[in-house]
């Protein structure tokens, strides 16, 4: 599986969330574990690209250090890394159209709204990517499967503000289970119906935000939470279903806030590794001509 990574996309935000520094740790973990991956370099997005989904004054304010970023500070290292995280998601999404499944080891997108930020999210690369690819006529419509525990308020705000309903469809775990008892059967049914509807509506690319903060042990999990195996099954289902439906998938990662006693994030890395392992299995099955799941009405 091709992983779109550049060291410039990873930095210390000096705050609660580990997401800004997570790309380097995810890639190091996968390389150390011997996962079947290929690291691919890419170019960052431009300020103009950010303005496709955000108010230009807001973008300029963050990039010049006059407006707080999503981590609540004014660090230029954080704002500059966002150009690279957005670039990673864009490059990985474009490559997914020919590769089948790719990965951008990034987080911190779905709470960023049109002219403000929240919840460790500065710019919404999910929407930026969809606009860029549809503007280039690479795809007609993008589907976002947002598996983060929290409601994708920023994504929905931009879609509504810019009237992007014709080019983006967004499903959010936070609306389904974010504040209530979790049920795996309900989740898989919702994903099955959603993916089929997205296919029927003309979606040609899925961006999967495989969040880790819906885990039962995550300190910011607001519902009852998922077990590690349930999260693995979630990802396996999406990859296999999309393979069967002929919809390529670009993976990115939402929140994940579990800490080790020494402050590390080994549990979060374990959950992200499981996502990659399931993606690689489906890619191998696809290359062998196997389909593990049949989608039925």
């Amino acid at each position: 599986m091709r992983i779109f990574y550049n060291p410039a996309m990873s930095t210390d935000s000096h705050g609660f969330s580990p997401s800004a520094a997570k790309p380097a740790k995810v890639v190091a973990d996968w390389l150390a574990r011997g996962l079947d991956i290929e690291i691919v370099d890419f170019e960052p997005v431009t300020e103009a690209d950010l303005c496709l989904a955000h108010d230009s004054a807001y973008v300029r304010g963050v990039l010049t250090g006059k407006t707080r970023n999503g981590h609540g500070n004014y660090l230029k290292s954080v704002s500059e890394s966002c150009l690279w995280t957005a670039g990673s998601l864009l490059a990985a999404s474009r490559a997914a159209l020919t590769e089948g499944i790719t990965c951008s080891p990034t987080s911190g997108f779905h709470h960023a709204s049109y002219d403000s930020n929240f919840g460790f999210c500065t710019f919404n690369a999910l929407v930026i990517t969809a606009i860029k690819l549809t503007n280039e006529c690479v795809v007609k419509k993008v589907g976002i499967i947002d598996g983060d525990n929290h409601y994708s308020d920023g994504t929905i705000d931009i879609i509504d503000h810019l009237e992007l309903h014709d080019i983006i469809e967004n499903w959010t775990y936070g609306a389904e289970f974010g504040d209530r008892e979790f049920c795996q059967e309900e989740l898989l049914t919702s994903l099955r119906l959603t993916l089929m509807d997205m296919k029927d509506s003309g979606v040609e690319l899925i961006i999967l935000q495989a969040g880790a903060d819906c885990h039962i042990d995550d300190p910011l999990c607001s519902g009852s939470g998922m077990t590690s195996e349930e999260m693995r099954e979630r990802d396996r289902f999406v990859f296999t279903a999309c393979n069967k439906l002929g919809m390529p998938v670009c993976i990115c990662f939402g929140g994940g806030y579990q800490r080790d006693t020494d402050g590390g994030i080994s549990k979060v890395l374990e959950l992200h590794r499981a996502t990659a392992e399931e993606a690689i299995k489906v890619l191998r099955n696809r290359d062998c001509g196997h389909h593990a799941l049949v989608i039925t009405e």
Side-chain angles (χ1 to χ4, degrees), residues 14-15 50 64 82 96 125 149 178 190 229 234 236-237 258 269 275:
H14 299 281
L50 298 179
T64 58
C82 293
N149 178 77
S190 179
E229 184 50 44
R234 170 199 70 182
R236 182 189 310 130
F237 185 93
Q258 296 184 64
L269 295 177
T275 300

Side-chain angles (χ1 to χ4, degrees), residues 56-223:
S56 58
Y58 166 71
V59 171
R60 180 101 291 261
V62 171
L63 293 181
T64 58
K66 296 178 181 178
T67 300
R68 287 186 179 90
N69 58 52
H71 293 266
N73 57 53
Y74 301 90
L75 292 174
K76 288 198 70 176
S77 59
V78 172
S79 59
E80 289 172 356
S81 73
C82 293
L83 297 171
W84 288 91
T85 55
S88 171
L89 186 64
L90 176 60
S93 295
R94 186 178 281 118
L97 298 172
T98 55
E99 298 290 327
I101 305 176
T102 58
C103 180
S104 168
T106 51
S107 305
F109 301 136
H110 75 160
H111 290 311
S113 59
Y114 177 69
D115 58 3
S116 63
N117 58 63
F118 176 72
F120 320 119
C121 301
T122 304
F123 299 118
N124 198 314
L126 303 166
V127 179
I128 293 165
T129 293
I131 295 174
K132 283 281 288 185
L133 295 182
T134 54
N135 282 354
E136 295 170 4
C137 298
V138 177
V139 295
K140 294 179 180 179
K141 183 181 282 190
V142 174
I144 299 169
I145 299 295
D146 190 338
D148 189 280
N149 178 77
H150 303 99
Y151 185 64
S152 55
D153 52 339
T155 301
I156 291 169
D157 173 75
I158 299 173
I159 291 172
D160 290 343
H161 186 90
L162 298 179
E163 300 182 346
L164 302 175
H165 305 89
D166 289 341
I167 66 167
I168 302 175
E169 290 197 25
N170 181 68
W171 177 94
T172 170
Y173 176 96
E176 301 271 338
F177 301 103
D179 294 308
R180 70 178 181 90
E181 188 74 17
F182 174 74
C183 174
Q184 183 78 337
E185 183 178 354
E186 287 184 34
L187 172 66
L188 297 183
T189 297
S190 179
L191 287 173
R192 176 175 62 85
L193 295 175
T194 296
L195 289 170
M196 291 170 61
D197 287 345
M198 285 184 174
K199 177 66 175 180
D200 289 343
S201 73
V203 166
E204 297 175 293
L205 169 71
I206 296 294
I207 300 177
L208 170 65
Q209 182 162 270
D213 57 357
C214 50
H215 191 271
I216 192 170
D217 295 328
D218 196 280
L220 295 190
C221 180
S222 53

Side-chain angles (χ1 to χ4, degrees), residues 196-274:
M196 291 170 61
D197 287 345
M198 285 184 174
K199 177 66 175 180
D200 289 343
S201 73
V203 166
E204 297 175 293
L205 169 71
I206 296 294
I207 300 177
L208 170 65
Q209 182 162 270
D213 57 357
C214 50
H215 191 271
I216 192 170
D217 295 328
D218 196 280
L220 295 190
C221 180
S222 53
S224 62
M226 305 171 69
T227 65
S228 298
E229 184 50 44
E230 285 171 335
M231 290 182 65
R232 183 182 284 270
E233 185 180 16
R234 170 199 70 182
D235 298 336
R236 182 189 310 130
F237 185 93
V238 171
F239 298 138
T240 312
C242 287
N243 181 43
K244 181 66 175 178
L245 291 167
M247 292 193 296
V249 182
C250 176
I251 307 163
C252 63
F253 298 112
Y257 306 96
Q258 296 184 64
R259 295 280 187 171
D260 306 330
T261 56
D262 62 357
I265 58 168
S266 65
K267 187 63 177 182
V268 175
L269 295 177
E270 178 184 326
L271 295 171
H272 291 332
R273 189 188 321 129

